[in-house]
Each structure stands twice: as C-alpha cells, then as structure tokens.
Amino acid sequence: MKTIYFWFVLLTFANGISQNETVVPAFDFLIQFTNCRDFTLSKNQDEIYFTIQNTTEEISRIAYSKKIKNKWTTPELVSFSSDHRDIEPFLSADGLRLYFSSNRPLEDTSNQSKDYDIWYVERKDAKEKWSHPINIGIPVNSAKDEFYPSVALNGNLYFTSENDKSLGKDDIFVCYWKNNSFTNPENLGTAINTSGYEFNAFIASDESFLLFTGYKRDDGLGSGDLYISYKDTNGNWQLASSLGNIINSKAMDYCPYYDRDTHTLYFTSKRNHVTNRHFETIVEFEKEINQYENGYSRIYKINIKL
C-alpha cells in the first residue's frame, strides 16, 4: 500500500513534492562542468564527491569540494585518480570510506584497462588523506562489470551488475555484510528488476527504500527514469513506482542520491530545454545552447519527502 500511496502523493502534490518545489541545478560551482554526473555528500554536508567527464564520456575523473567557512572550495581531482575511468563515488556514513567504480587494472604496473570493479579508499578522519585504492574483491566483483556502489549503515552493499543471476540486462544486486565478510550477490527480484536495464541504485541508510533507474519501461517517459521501491513489514521489496514527471524527463534521468536530513533528492539528468527559434545575435544564440538544461549530464536537486 505504501508504494500506491506514494504514487498518489506525487500525482496530487499532497505530500512528497509540494507545488512550490522544482528541479534546479544542485550547486552553482558545478555549472562550469559541461558533463557532470554521480554525487555523494558527507553527513555533515561539508564535503561532496562527483564525476566529471568529457562530452563523449571516454574520460572520467572523480572530483571533490569541501565547505570551509560556509563556502565551497574550488573543485579538485581526488588524490587517487587514475588514467582510467573512475566513476560513481559513494561516501560512507562516517565519512571514512569512499567507494567507487573503475576499470583501472588490478596492478599498478599495468596500463591495460579491465572490466569495471568496485573499489574503495579509506582514511582515519576527515582531515587525513585517502589511502591507496583497494579492490573490494570477490564475491562482489566478478569477470563482469560492477557499478554504482551504495552501502547501508549495516554494511550491506547494493550495486549494478550483469552476471549469471541477472533477469535480463543490468540488474540491481545486494551483497550482505555478515561475519565481517560479504555474502554472494543476490538479485533483488522482480519487484525491482526486469528483463531490461535497471541500474544506479541508492539504498536508504536503514534499507527502508531503494531508488534506481529503469530504462525505457512501459510507464517511462522515453529513456531512463527514476523509480522507488519500499520494503514491507516482512522485509520484502514492493513493486517499484516511477517518481513521476516532475522529476523524470524524456531524457536519461539517473544516479540518484537522497539526503534525509534536508529531504533533498540529487540526481543526474540529460534533460534538454534548448529551443530552436529566431536569434538576433550570436550572444543570444550561445546563451540558449549553453544553458544548464542542454542535453549534457548535469546534477540537479529537488526537495521531496521519501
């Protein structure tokens, strides 16, 4: 019933999203990056990590910014950057471990990219430097790609993969943290996964809900759309529902991150509001085609209670 109620709420604006809330750029300093995706925020809301890419996405680097004296610092690349594609950072609740996905080789002596694995770096406190990257290993990683790590407070790890337990294409999996080790990956089942593509899952810290992207579903708006699934009282995932057309667009909407303290949903979108019309000057033309919502990956936010 909670899933049905949530869907009703979105349609009527009675709760979830108020009539005064709109999707807006997440941070002013991110506007400078043409292609920007993925987002994670520290518990104290004073440190963020995100991915910067070139327009055709062959090059990907993780960057960060810190809030000092109520101002965000100029973004910098993380210390553990590689010459390969590093994407999808996720910061643990205590801020001492940062997970990410990368196609970097297992050994520093190699220059050959591999399939995507989940990696992490650690530190003793927020003022310390990050450690050398550590591959999370089996049973999480496999010969297939693993993407978009998201970790609950109890250590359970949710991620995207296409392996022999997939229902079709990419699916959402979980590895439970038990006895100081991860269990084998488990498919989250048909309430979330389909024969198509499901990816970029964000798990609530208490595992009460899961946000993810479903690609070209029958109830979708044309590309990737954001969905939510709640757990029932028996711990089973309910049938996922779309977050609706206030959040989703006809373009790719993906990479969700939810901050419960401020009721803020952050997500990436390739939405495009550029219009073809008469332009008097080249300045006017450039302003139109270079606006934030111009078809490139950008990070947005909206206030919503989940």
Side-chain angles (χ1 to χ4, degrees):
M1 289 298 295
K2 192 171 185 180
T3 301
I4 297 173
Y5 174 72
F6 180 78
W7 177 240
F8 175 77
V9 161
L10 288 177
L11 292 177
T12 60
F13 307 105
N15 191 0
I17 306 175
S18 72
Q19 289 179 306
N20 297 323
E21 296 297 337
T22 58
V23 172
V24 298
F27 292 92
D28 289 341
F29 63 82
L30 294 180
I31 295 175
Q32 64 182 297
F33 302 112
T34 304
N35 228 41
C36 188
R37 53 165 286 184
D38 315 326
F39 178 87
T40 189
L41 176 70
S42 65
K43 181 67 175 177
N44 296 329
Q45 299 183 26
D46 58 1
E47 188 175 18
I48 69 169
Y49 293 82
F50 55 97
T51 302
I52 305 171
Q53 297 178 314
N54 68 321
T55 54
T56 49
E57 302 183 5
E58 296 97 348
I59 302 172
S60 294
R61 297 291 187 272
I62 295 173
Y64 72 96
S65 176
K66 295 186 177 184
K67 185 181 284 186
I68 299 177
K69 295 182 179 180
N70 210 34
K71 290 185 178 181
W72 289 103
T73 61
T74 300
E76 298 181 43
L77 296 180
V78 293
S79 59
F80 53 88
S81 282
S82 71
D83 295 335
H84 305 269
R85 295 183 83 250
D86 299 331
I87 56 176
E88 302 171 346
F90 180 86
L91 190 63
S92 62
D94 60 11
L96 302 183
R97 179 176 286 193
L98 185 76
Y99 300 86
F100 64 101
S101 180
S102 177
N103 66 346
R104 62 176 63 200
L106 293 176
E107 304 295 335
D108 291 339
T109 55
S110 174
N111 293 321
Q112 184 67 39
S113 297
K114 63 183 296 295
D115 63 292
Y116 286 88
D117 279 348
I118 292 174
W119 297 70
Y120 66 90
V121 289
E122 296 179 311
R123 61 187 179 186
K124 293 181 180 180
D125 59 61
K127 296 181 180 180
E128 292 287 329
K129 292 183 178 180
W130 289 111
S131 69
H132 188 78
I134 302 166
N135 187 287
I136 207 167
I138 57 173
V140 177
N141 292 327
S142 68
K144 298 283 189 177
D145 293 327
E146 282 76 38
F147 293 110
Y148 214 79
S150 183
V151 184
L153 280 177
N154 58 14
N156 293 341
L157 171 64
Y158 293 74
F159 61 100
T160 304
S161 183
E162 182 183 3
N163 57 40
D164 57 3
K165 295 181 181 179
S166 295
L167 301 181
K169 308 296 183 180
D170 289 354
D171 277 355
I172 310 302
F173 289 83
V174 60
C175 285
Y176 297 105
W177 182 249
K178 294 182 179 180
N179 300 320
N180 294 319
S181 63
F182 285 112
T183 63
N184 290 325
E186 293 186 19
N187 192 300
L188 293 191
T190 55
I192 292 170
N193 294 316
T194 68
S195 60
Y197 291 91
E198 285 77 36
F199 49 90
N200 293 166
F202 170 85
I203 187 65
S205 58
D206 60 358
E207 295 182 294
S208 58
F209 65 84
L210 184 86
L211 296 165
F212 67 96
T213 294
Y215 183 66
K216 288 192 174 182
R217 291 190 168 190
D218 291 341
D219 62 346
L221 299 181
S223 184
D225 292 283
L226 292 174
Y227 288 79
I228 189 168
S229 175
Y230 288 97
K231 273 188 176 179
D232 62 21
T233 55
N234 295 319
N236 299 314
W237 291 109
Q238 298 184 45
L239 186 63
S241 297
S242 169
L243 289 187
N245 61 10
I246 295 176
I247 292 172
N248 291 317
S249 68
K250 293 180 180 179
M252 176 66 74
D253 300 297
Y254 58 127
C255 301
Y257 180 92
Y258 187 68
D259 178 19
R260 252 182 171 168
D261 292 334
T262 61
H263 304 298
T264 303
L265 171 65
Y266 298 90
F267 65 100
T268 304
S269 178
K270 292 186 177 182
R271 59 193 59 202
N272 189 349
H273 285 179
V274 174
T275 57
N276 186 14
R277 56 185 175 82
H278 177 72
F279 299 97
E280 296 291 342
T281 66
I282 193 169
V283 173
E284 183 184 357
F285 176 74
E286 286 184 319
K287 182 179 180 181
E288 179 67 18
I289 66 174
N290 291 325
Q291 64 174 284
Y292 200 75
E293 297 178 333
N294 66 356
Y296 289 120
S297 292
R298 306 280 199 172
I299 299 176
Y300 297 85
K301 66 178 180 180
I302 188 172
N303 185 263
I304 176 176
K305 292 184 179 180
L306 299 179

